[in-house]
Amino acid sequence: QVQLVESGGGFVQPGGSLRLSCAASGLPFRSYHMGWFRQAPGAVREFVGVVTRSNNTLYANSLKDRISISRDNTKETVFLQMNGLKPEDTAVYYCAASRAISTIMTTEGYEYWGQGTQVTVSS
């Protein structure tokens, strides 16, 4: 069974930093683009960023100055580093795996999803 398990979420003050992890198993990790999405209450799930199987990165324009995504193929883990967090960053953050390059910024382009981890930015 394919599993994507996010961790590292929690409460953080505005301006703080957080590093999320996503541990993958049951899939050929090196062959997949690994994306991050988030979903706030009442909102659609939106693209955060992705690290491709070739280790290139793409970020949402609204977040690109504050986030960094990386992967460790040996540990089969992908990371989302977030800095300068704002209350509007509050959401459930999801890790996802995709084999298709053309749809890596869309939810429908991803084959596997994690359960999500809650990030709450509040003072």
Side-chain angles (χ1 to χ4, degrees):
Q1 291 286 340
V2 172
Q3 280 193 309
L4 302 177
V5 182
E6 302 95 335
S7 62
F11 294 94
V12 64
Q13 293 184 336
S17 298
L18 209 58
R19 191 193 195 205
L20 307 184
S21 299
C22 173
S25 62
L27 55 73
F29 184 81
R30 288 175 173 81
S31 298
Y32 277 80
H33 315 298
M34 300 300 299
W36 286 95
F37 291 77
R38 69 182 185 181
Q39 188 167 19
V44 300
R45 192 168 299 186
E46 66 175 345
F47 174 74
V48 172
V50 60
V51 57
T52 71
R53 63 190 180 200
S54 300
N55 208 36
N56 299 124
T57 54
L58 291 172
Y59 305 121
N61 287 332
S62 61
L63 297 170
K64 63 184 301 181
D65 295 331
R66 299 191 290 116
I67 66 172
S68 178
I69 297 174
S70 60
R71 65 192 296 157
D72 186 329
N73 287 335
T74 299
K75 298 179 179 179
E76 297 190 327
T77 302
V78 62
F79 305 95
L80 171 60
Q81 176 71 44
M82 299 188 290
N83 305 312
L85 286 164
K86 306 173 181 179
E88 51 262 45
D89 294 321
T90 296
V92 177
Y93 284 72
Y94 296 91
C95 173
S98 173
R99 293 185 61 88
I101 191 70
S102 62
T103 53
I104 55 174
M105 290 184 288
T106 63
T107 58
E108 58 265 29
Y110 286 78
E111 185 176 2
Y112 302 108
W113 292 85
Q115 83 288 349
T117 185
Q118 177 71 49
V119 171
T120 302
V121 184
S122 176
S123 59

